[in-house]
Amino acid sequence: MSRQTFLEPFNAKAMSYAEVARTFVPSTKFILLAGAWHSVLVGPRGGGKTTLFKMLSAEGQEAWTKPASEPYKKTMAYTGIYVPSDIAWGTMLESLMEAGQDENVGILFSEAAFVTHVLLGVAAGIDRHVTLNPVQRAEAATEAATGAPTQADLERVIATIATLWKVHPVSLSPASLVDALRERLLEIKRDARLRAKLKEGGMPTEKYLGMDMLESASQALQAFDAAYRRPDHRWCLLLDEFEVAPMHLQKTVLAAMRASGAQKLLLKVALAPCGPDLLYEQLSSAPPSQINDVQQVELWYADKAEAIEFCQQVFLSRANSYPALAGKTPSEVFGTSAYAVVDDSDEAEQIGLFTQAGRNKKHVKEQFQSLAEKDPTFLEFLRRKQIDLSQELGMQPSDTHGNTLRKIAPLVAFRNAYKGKGVGRKRGVKPFNTAYSGWESIAAISEGNPRWLIGLITRIMSNSDQVQFPVPTPQQTAAVQWNCQRYAEMLQSVANEQFGSIKTSTPIYDVLSKIGTYFHNRLVTTTFVEDPPMSFIVDERVSDDVEHALRIAVNHGAIVCFEAAADVGGFRTLRGRRFRLTYLLAPVFKLPMRKSKSVSLSAILEPKPEAAASQEEPPTNPAGEWTQGGLWAN
């Protein structure tokens, strides 16, 4: 199978609107985001932010021609304008300040570049609308006409907009307006560069400085919609990857979301979960509220079933283009896994997985007996629970000890695979690959992140001669291990600074490795317990340096929060919040994919020497209804 069938292209930033629309799968996240309200979209790299924003744009909606798209389009009572990010917004400010310019001068030029980018998007939107809805001939302009303006009307509107924006198009047409703004953008960058190099002093006087983005765009669109006799029409700015924008721009845009009442221009902003906007102290103005001002959409899933359903739709959207997979379900292609995420609320599903995956009673019993022979603490657990291995081991709720046996069976399998003979000893490092094959495991490992899922499936299906279904377990696990190792290598090379404001001297992967190693040892070498901790809480004893390393990890999807972000835009602090390692790292650190109780992060990073190997129960958070937030998601 060609790698391109699933994987190429999969980065929406480099894809055309038609390419994005061809395989687009609407999710509940899209529904929440698409409404006619201000929105903040929060998610890690690869989580699908750019895909969603492109599909909300006018170009994306036009390219989305599938019949199933109609109900979604009806909810969008606005014209979307996609505005990609530009690192020049930040570098312009930095270069001017490094040259000794006043910070306010740098902010003015940075804002001017940003405003011009936005107005360029607005002008392109106007140009597109005029192309699709041509002006009338002057002699046809009657009361019975379609409502389109005449050429003279359009020219008057363009002249008005040019005056508002202080540009000089060569002709009074939307296309010329676009060209004038492109020239303006080059002019801003040139003026800022010259000012920095020549070290000019004093306040600049260029006319494009100090323009307000919302007012400039809103007034222009009001004039344009009036000409088309649709004064109540709304537009929406889709500001992608806005975490790269300087802090002052983020403050300006987020503050604009607090405006109340009917508005010509809606704002939808995509942000990383831990961006610079969440590190500054709010001054006199309060941030927007999730209750009153914005709809915050987070690209991780509190409901595992919802994430798996989305993964299945992503699979089907691409699989149908490959003859061997057409009409097949993911479970038919990859089989099932009894070692997917254990969720006590999905009891029936877990029972079914054991049955479908062929984890028969004999196999389970062999695992239990093997571990009991080499692990005295497990044997003691069985005695305490009065579980007799000479008897039949049933996994049904009606069976004696059925719930307990079903819950610990994956733990027994993991522990037996890695446990050596003798207290605190481990056997070789050969991975327990069975745990990472089967559709449920593949979907769990992907975290509902479309880029990760496509990468996993692509690697598994890279053999063009694949005809055997389910795909053999060794082929699945080899591909999963390869992808997970590449992800781990990426994390090892991640910079220790992001956005100029999140800085740490602690290597990000070092922290993740300590966490993963701790959980693996708790699972394998210490006293057997029914529910070993597999999650952690960032407690007050954790240093700011480590917390900043974790903030970078969150932005890359390496750790997953169990809770929704209380602050607009993501997490202002990680302290007091519960996390787990992404399941994409589970094969790397040899961990099961399951829910569990938590332990304080300081207990992981600074363990007491005397309690290292024999500790049965580290400080944990027994509370703990599991409300995993799943990603994280482009």
Side-chain angles (χ1 to χ4, degrees), residues 103-116:
E103 181 179 6
N104 290 327
V105 173
I107 288 175
L108 280 173
F109 276 98
S110 177
E111 284 182 342
F114 167 65
V115 170
T116 303

Side-chain angles (χ1 to χ4, degrees), residues 371 374-375 415 418-428 520-521 524-526 613:
L371 183 59
K374 60 186 176 184
D375 185 356
R415 191 173 176 96
Y418 296 110
K419 181 73 174 176
K421 293 184 179 180
V423 177
R425 298 189 63 180
K426 292 193 290 186
R427 56 180 293 188
H520 177 75
N521 288 336
V524 175
T525 63
T526 59

Side-chain angles (χ1 to χ4, degrees), residues 397-473:
S398 58
D399 293 326
T400 303
H401 307 300
N403 291 334
T404 298
L405 291 172
R406 189 175 61 257
K407 182 176 181 180
I408 68 172
L411 297 178
V412 170
F414 264 89
R415 191 173 176 96
N416 187 49
Y418 296 110
K419 181 73 174 176
K421 293 184 179 180
V423 177
R425 298 189 63 180
K426 292 193 290 186
R427 56 180 293 188
V429 295
K430 184 179 179 180
F432 178 45
N433 283 335
T434 307
Y436 310 118
S437 64
W439 170 244
E440 293 78 17
S441 290
I442 292 169
I445 290 170
S446 78
E447 299 280 7
N449 183 318
R451 189 183 298 182
W452 291 359
L453 178 66
I454 293 167
L456 287 165
I457 295 176
T458 298
R459 189 73 189 182
I460 293 171
M461 303 302 298
S462 59
N463 182 358
S464 59
D465 298 326
Q466 176 65 49
V467 292
Q468 180 181 350
F469 298 114
V471 177
T473 295

